[in-house]
Amino acid sequence: MKILFLGAGGVGGYFGGRLIEAGGDVTFQVRPARAQQLAAHGLVIRSPLGDATVPAPTIERAAGSGPFDLVIVSCKAYDLAPAIEAIAPHVQAGAVVLPLLNGMRHNDELRLRFGPEHLIGGICQIETMLSPTGEIVHKSQFARIVFGPFEEYPVDARVQRVISDFATLCEGASFSSKLLDPVDQALWDKWVMIGTLGGITCLMRGAAGDVMATKEGRELIEELLQEAISVATEAGYPPSADYLANARKLLMAPGSTFMASMLRDIEKGGAIEADHIIGDMYRRAHESGHDANVLRMVYCHLQTYEARRARGGL
């Protein structure tokens, strides 16, 4: 199968590079500067799971690139609109889209633009960054992709073949993968986790362990977690007791340095996914009549940061 990754940053570059290692036919659609970098040095991965340097075929636009079976989108949510335009010719040529974004709203936007028959769901779990020299730096022992069809939108035989072929390719790659049919619960579970982690660490500007070191930290984390759970439950996907037990261990471990990537983006003065991850969750809770006082506070805090950044006040 032929796979296109939109971008070759920390997430797309890592998983795409590992698939190339496994013999996959992978191409990256990137901007000119990144294309030059990859042509000169290859795609370089630095990881506790093993370093790698692989050739990275690139295109800068869809025109004349030939058809792809699968297009994987791993951009930040604030770049989704231009990403949709960039992949539109590939989808029109028959490609299936696999987004690896946090939250749920991007699935609605992709489905609206391309139709449910072109979309499968997915998440990734990894901690990476792109170095100033363009190397992909993997910062933990964990790298995983979960993917599959949506419960409400059964796939046809063609899309099922794409899913099956991708699952087979992933089995030979040096990262974990899981095919779930349907995939919805995994997406909602991650949103509950990332909404709570991102919300509390950004609001308090510290790691989860720093919050836990305060008198009210555990109670506030639990309040935010319950608000996120209420949103998932309202949608029909309440997290399991086992999942929540593991989530609490991560969120409430004393001394933990666990924090959301959104906090790192704030500390760098960068753009953030406030509306997509926290804003959308708050709106769903509010519209359903659920208590969302902590979500409201977090969302206001993040919007304040964005307003200050927009006026050049950082």
Side-chain angles (χ1 to χ4, degrees):
M1 68 183 310
K2 292 177 66 65
I3 301 173
L4 178 76
F5 277 82
L6 184 66
V11 173
Y14 183 86
F15 288 112
R18 293 306 195 189
L19 290 173
I20 291 173
E21 268 192 314
D25 185 346
V26 174
T27 301
F28 299 92
Q29 186 168 334
V30 295
R31 296 185 177 92
R34 184 61 168 150
Q36 293 174 6
Q37 198 173 47
L38 293 172
H41 306 291
L43 191 149
V44 181
I45 296 172
R46 303 298 181 200
S47 169
L49 300 179
D51 295 344
T53 301
V54 297
T58 63
I59 57 172
E60 295 178 20
R61 59 187 63 83
S65 62
F68 292 93
D69 300 296
L70 182 67
V71 173
I72 298 177
V73 179
S74 58
C75 64
K76 295 288 190 177
Y78 46 74
D79 285 331
L80 182 60
I84 287 175
E85 296 308 313
I87 67 173
H90 303 300
V91 181
Q92 290 162 4
V96 176
V97 180
L98 170 59
L100 299 178
L101 284 72
N102 294 316
M104 295 296 292
R105 195 175 69 184
H106 60 279
N107 293 313
D108 295 332
E109 295 180 27
L110 288 162
R111 198 175 288 120
L112 181 64
R113 175 63 185 275
F114 299 128
E117 67 274 13
H118 288 286
L119 182 68
I120 59 175
I123 56 170
C124 66
Q125 296 160 321
I126 191 169
E127 185 179 7
T128 58
M129 60 175 289
L130 198 64
S131 78
T133 59
E135 296 183 348
I136 294 154
V137 182
H138 181 209
K139 304 180 74 176
S140 74
Q141 295 279 345
F142 198 71
R144 187 178 189 231
I145 289 180
V146 178
F147 61 96
F150 290 97
E151 183 174 26
E152 191 177 351
Y153 304 99
V155 299
D156 61 20
R158 180 186 66 87
V159 177
Q160 190 60 58
R161 283 196 300 273
V162 171
I163 294 172
S164 178
D165 289 348
F166 183 63
T168 299
L169 178 59
C170 287
E171 288 174 1
S174 54
F175 58 80
S176 299
S177 63
K178 189 168 187 178
L179 168 57
L180 291 178
D181 186 0
V183 74
D184 305 65
Q185 187 68 57
L187 273 61
W188 280 98
D189 284 351
K190 187 178 181 187
W191 195 14
V192 167
M193 181 64 184
I194 201 69
T196 305
L197 177 68
I200 201 67
T201 59
C202 289
L203 179 63
M204 297 305 173
R205 300 293 179 94
D210 300 325
V211 181
M212 284 294 294
T214 71
K215 292 182 179 180
E216 304 296 333
R218 179 182 294 272
E219 183 176 347
L220 192 59
I221 293 172
E222 184 62 39
E223 286 180 26
L224 181 53
L225 177 60
Q226 288 300 324
E227 291 178 9
I229 291 169
S230 74
V231 174
T233 302
E234 182 73 24
Y237 297 98
S240 69
D242 287 344
Y243 183 86
L244 289 175
N246 288 329
R248 287 186 175 94
K249 286 180 182 179
L250 291 171
L251 291 166
M252 301 179 184
S256 168
T257 58
F258 195 31
M259 65 174 66
S261 60
M262 188 155 53
L263 176 56
R264 295 190 179 91
D265 292 335
I266 288 174
E267 292 176 338
K268 294 185 296 185
I272 58 174
E273 299 176 295
D275 195 58
H276 193 79
I277 295 176
I278 300 299
D280 189 32
M281 183 174 282
Y282 168 68
R283 280 189 290 270
R284 290 173 189 251
H286 182 70
E287 289 170 1
S288 299
H290 293 291
D291 179 31
N293 290 330
V294 185
L295 278 169
R296 181 178 64 173
M297 188 184 305
V298 172
Y299 190 34
C300 182
H301 176 84
L302 296 176
Q303 289 177 95
T304 301
Y305 164 80
E306 290 181 320
R308 184 181 176 193
R309 181 174 180 268
R311 68 173 172 82
L314 294 177

